[in-house]
Amino acid sequence: MGQQDPALSVVVPMFNEEGVLPLLAERLRAVLDGLAEPYEVVAVDDGSTDATAAGLRGLRERWPQLRVVRLRRNSGHQAALIAGLMRARGGYVVSIDADLQDPPETIADMLALARAEKLDIVYGVRGDRSSDTAFKRLTAGAYYRLMRRLVGKQVPAQAGDFRLLSRAAVEALRDLPERTPVLRLVVPWLGFPSGEVHFLRAERAAGRTKYPFSRMLALAVESVTSFSAAPLRVATWLGLLGVAVCALLVIAVIVAYALGHTVIGWPSILLAVLFLGAVQLLCLGLLGEYVARIYTAVQARPAYFIASDSDPAETDPGDTAAPGQRRADDDPAVLADSRR
Ligand code: UDP
Ligand code: MG
């Protein structure tokens, strides 16, 4: 951390959030000004196509701590979050959704807890999701149960992407070779001392959700395959089961042959063909999931492109540094860090 670095950075990914912007600015600013410490707000405009960019420009005139990082195109919530985290300079970095479902007031509690107990990570845990739809609650419940089994009990249930990270935790994330880690799984896995702050999840202040079911499903598949080879093992077990069933069928066929019933054997043949076909297809699909991950990892394409950063210290607006892609020679943010 350099000398002028703020004590706190607040990263807010936003995609087409023109409706909530004034409300967000008002509530967030009240909280952060109240801390009486230097801070920055890193608004990551995830390629919005509405008036979000203009709104942010307008806000910046009256709010010097607001920094706007614009991504060249819509890259998704996780990528926008990572873009913001990687460029934040604060000693502590809080990530929060723009739609005011996570109350900004909780940030003060997170910071106080982190300092009082010397924690590197403080999760915002949703105490009550009654404002979410029954469907969202159901799918989220299943997701977190599964993730706790796969990654371990250190994954807090019902903790989304509202959390505080210390500088050390952010640097640990930066040093990961993964470009698009699923943050809510990778962060607990880093193993830093952590705590929880509970809050009530409010309703979206304006606009509508940008997380349709297809995106939720994509996040779930990515979460599983990024943390576990268990599905591959399922394929193995299914294959073994298939072999066992086939062995039984072979015995049945031999018995049928001995009894002279071979002509009416077509159901068993059909069964075997169908069953094996199904097992093979399933295993191929599972392999495909991992091959796809290897493919994207090998391509190593940046998860996002910075179109601009309102921070004057950022001399390279086209920088595309991502986790694991430390480019100390041309990323001023990294340079500032290495001068510690
Ligand atoms: N978001 C984003 N890029 C996207 C989709 C969403 O930056 O492609 C932001 C969005 O503006 C919000 C946060 O991610 O600040 C969470 O999205 P949303 O509130 O729509 O998700 P939900 O709360 O419904 O799960
Ligand atoms: Mg939301």
Side-chain angles (χ1 to χ4, degrees):
M1 251 196 302
Q3 212 129 55
Q4 340 73 321
D5 287 341
L8 177 70
S9 295
V10 178
V11 174
V12 198
M14 42 183 88
F15 174 56
N16 291 348
E17 299 285 9
E18 58 179 0
V20 284
L21 213 48
L23 299 163
L24 172 74
E26 192 184 314
R27 272 181 65 188
L28 190 58
R29 186 163 192 185
V31 173
L32 297 178
D33 284 348
L35 293 175
E37 285 183 80
Y39 67 86
E40 67 171 356
V41 173
V42 184
V44 183
D45 177 0
D46 186 11
S48 297
T49 50
D50 65 354
T52 301
L56 284 170
R57 251 192 322 275
L59 281 172
R60 252 175 64 73
E61 284 164 18
R62 284 164 287 127
W63 194 8
Q65 290 95 332
L66 177 64
R67 175 176 163 198
V68 180
V69 173
R70 184 169 160 85
L71 305 189
R72 228 181 276 155
R73 58 173 176 77
N74 182 245
S75 310
H77 179 214
Q78 292 290 305
L81 250 181
I82 293 162
L85 284 181
M86 291 307 114
R87 298 176 85 83
R89 298 217 176 82
Y92 288 100
V93 183
V94 173
S95 49
I96 186 170
D97 281 357
D99 57 3
L100 292 173
Q101 284 195 288
D102 313 329
E105 292 74 24
T106 309
I107 294 175
D109 303 339
M110 288 177 158
L111 194 60
L113 183 70
R115 285 188 171 145
E117 300 191 6
K118 299 210 175 351
L119 302 176
D120 282 282
I121 300 166
V122 178
Y123 302 101
V125 175
R126 300 170 256 215
D128 172 23
R129 293 187 70 139
S130 54
S131 65
D132 281 329
T133 61
F135 178 70
K136 182 103 183 180
R137 285 208 301 270
L138 194 76
T139 49
Y143 174 82
Y144 285 111
R145 264 195 307 280
L146 181 63
M147 290 311 129
R148 280 165 72 88
R149 284 199 63 167
L150 288 182
V151 186
K153 287 277 183 289
Q154 73 267 31
V155 175
Q158 304 298 340
D161 285 306
F162 183 27
R163 69 173 93 69
L164 172 141
L165 299 174
S166 68
R167 175 61 24 205
V170 173
E171 293 307 317
L173 275 181
R174 191 199 293 279
D175 288 338
L176 286 182
E178 258 176 291
R179 270 170 182 273
T180 45
V182 178
L183 286 171
R184 64 187 74 179
L185 302 182
V186 165
V187 167
W189 172 84
L190 290 173
F192 284 102
S194 65
E196 294 180 0
V197 166
H198 293 252
F199 69 94
L200 292 186
R201 187 131 159 109
E203 270 177 59
R204 218 173 204 289
R208 40 192 284 269
T209 177
K210 278 92 197 169
Y211 256 94
F213 183 65
S214 57
R215 279 206 179 183
M216 278 159 49
L217 202 63
L219 181 68
V221 170
E222 178 136 341
S223 299
V224 172
T225 54
S226 74
F227 251 95
S228 171
L232 283 176
R233 244 161 273 141
V234 170
T236 315
W237 285 113
L238 272 179
L240 284 177
L241 189 71
V243 169
V245 171
C246 280
L248 289 179
L249 280 177
V250 165
I251 294 171
V253 167
I254 292 171
V255 170
Y257 178 73
L259 297 178
H261 293 316
T262 41
V263 190
I264 51 166
W266 69 268
S268 56
I269 291 173
L270 207 63
L271 270 176
V273 168
L274 286 178
F275 183 75
L276 276 181
V279 167
Q280 284 180 350
L281 279 180
L282 190 77
C283 296
L284 265 182
L286 287 169
L287 274 177
E289 283 295 328
Y290 289 89
V291 172
R293 281 195 71 79
I294 296 170
Y295 173 65
T296 41
V298 167
Q299 276 181 321
R301 283 192 192 143
Y304 55 85
F305 297 102
I306 306 286
S308 64
D309 186 334
S310 69
D311 193 316
E314 292 289 352
T315 50
D316 181 6
D319 172 46
T320 53
Q325 300 297 306
R326 282 189 90 117
R327 303 200 316 197
D329 43 347
D330 61 3
D331 186 346
V334 176
L335 270 184
D337 286 335
S338 56
R339 264 188 253 115
R340 247 179 306 197

